[in-house]
Amino acid sequence: MDDLVLTLDEAAERLRISRWILYTLIHSNQLKTIKIGRRRLVPVDSLVECIDSLKAVA
């Protein structure tokens, strides 16, 4: 089964960016996250949306 959500570290690794840049994307609402309990997770489809929106701007 493919992963539905990623931890912040996993998402940063998949995007090949630092955690600091990942947090910047989250705080600027370019990358959507969900919160389950105390954990913040990134849905895989949010990564695709983020990449698509960044490509549109470039």
Side-chain angles (χ1 to χ4, degrees), residues 2-57:
D2 292 335
D3 295 333
L4 296 176
V5 293
L6 304 170
T7 64
L8 296 180
D9 285 333
E10 291 170 338
E13 186 177 318
R14 289 225 184 151
L15 291 173
R16 295 185 175 135
I17 59 174
S18 67
R19 279 180 63 110
W20 188 82
I21 294 174
L22 186 79
Y23 279 112
T24 301
L25 290 172
I26 293 168
H27 289 291
S28 66
N29 293 323
Q30 291 179 297
L31 180 63
K32 296 175 186 165
T33 62
I34 60 171
K35 198 165 184 187
I36 299 176
R38 296 175 60 186
R39 297 184 70 186
R40 182 156 306 274
L41 301 168
V42 180
V44 173
D45 60 339
S46 291
L47 288 179
V48 175
E49 288 176 21
C50 180
I51 291 168
D52 289 341
S53 69
L54 291 172
K55 283 189 335 189
V57 173

